[in-house]
DNA sequence: CAGGCATATGCCAAGTGAGGCATGTTTTAG
DNA sequence: CTAAAACATGCCTCACTTGGCATATGCCTG
């Protein structure tokens, strides 16, 4: 069984697009299919992957399944980002960019 | 040529480990090889992928290549995360979790 | 209960990525 | 100029992933 972590889930552009849509409102599979222009089984598979990463939640409504984003799950990403944010947030950032410029003369700097 | 975006770059656990190491200090390939316990060509390939996503920067020092993290590049991820952060940050969050609980009685809630 | 929706799952083919291994390249030492 | 050190690159194989297509499953209507 493959890895179904968040990093893997958001690595696919189509899945990011799905998340983007679900960020606005809950949607049924059919709506997603129509919006994405993909085949229904394909969309279902992506939703499965997202579900295994706990990024979406299903609400069953008769024969329809409404998928809703679990935005809270993305906090994991936020937390992973924390140590790095500290790096770009502090004053060293400017210095590093300056060093990059010195190391790489071809690089265009703003 | 494959996609070399940030999402893809951080999808691999080994590459995240490399980023984690480089977050602390600049390191030469040999140091990374020793720390990671992987074969050198493999490490070089991951570094290449990270480089193509502009997540690392190389400083050539004689025969050695020191890799440094470009933490600023991760701002792209931060920006991508922004719309979602708004979702989990607002008061709707608690409501949504409540709804999840109602939809999914088996789910353990804190 | 038969049939039709809305979705999920299974199977197959093609593309992609990671690791292992051998080899090429650049730099420094002698 | 030769050799060795430090990396990068090329090739191969294997496992995984994605998309397309067919089909199974669950739910609701008549």
């Amino acid at each position: 069984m493959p890895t179904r972590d968040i990093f893997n889930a958001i690595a696919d552009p189509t899945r990011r697009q799905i998340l983007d849509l679900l960020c606005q409102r809950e949607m049924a599979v059919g709506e997603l299919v129509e919006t994405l222009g993909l085949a229904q089984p394909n969309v279902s598979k992506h939703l499965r992957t997202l579900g295994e990463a706990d990024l979406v939640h299903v609400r069953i409504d008769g024969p329809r399944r409404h998928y809703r984003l679990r935005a809270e799950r993305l906090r994991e990403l936020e937390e992973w980002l924390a140590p790095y944010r500290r790096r770009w947030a502090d004053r060293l950032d400017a210095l590093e960019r300056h060093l990059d410029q010195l190391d790489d003369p071809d690089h265009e700097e703003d």
Side-chain angles (χ1 to χ4, degrees), chain A:
Chain A
M1 216 64 62
T3 318
R4 255 62 165 110
D5 56 24
I6 287 193
F7 295 96
N8 226 304
I10 67 170
D12 185 81
T14 302
R15 281 192 292 268
R16 286 201 299 276
Q17 202 178 347
I18 292 179
L19 290 178
D20 197 45
L21 289 169
L22 294 183
C23 187
Q24 308 181 30
R25 63 180 176 86
E26 180 182 279
M27 289 180 82
V29 180
E31 296 181 90
L32 289 169
V33 168
E34 216 177 332
T35 309
L36 296 169
L38 295 179
Q40 174 266 314
N42 205 342
V43 174
S44 281
K45 276 181 242 180
H46 279 303
L47 287 170
R48 183 182 224 273
T49 299
L50 291 172
E52 287 174 350
D54 271 336
L55 278 168
V56 294
H57 178 269
V58 200
R59 179 173 63 86
I60 298 182
D61 167 34
R64 237 153 301 178
R65 273 124 195 267
H66 297 273
Y67 282 84
R68 181 155 39 84
L69 175 68
R70 287 178 95 104
E72 7 143 358
R73 281 289 292 151
L74 288 171
R75 274 177 171 153
E76 188 175 303
L77 234 178
E78 181 90 346
E79 287 165 19
W80 176 81
L81 216 45
Y84 303 102
R85 190 181 315 120
R86 263 177 242 125
R87 294 301 310 276
W88 83 60
D90 62 22
R91 68 208 174 287
L92 278 175
D93 190 34
L95 173 60
E96 286 182 359
R97 273 192 283 191
H98 181 59
L99 290 174
D100 284 350
Q101 191 179 14
L102 292 179
D103 291 343
D104 183 8
D106 294 338
H107 182 64
E108 292 284 330
E109 197 73 14
D110 43 39

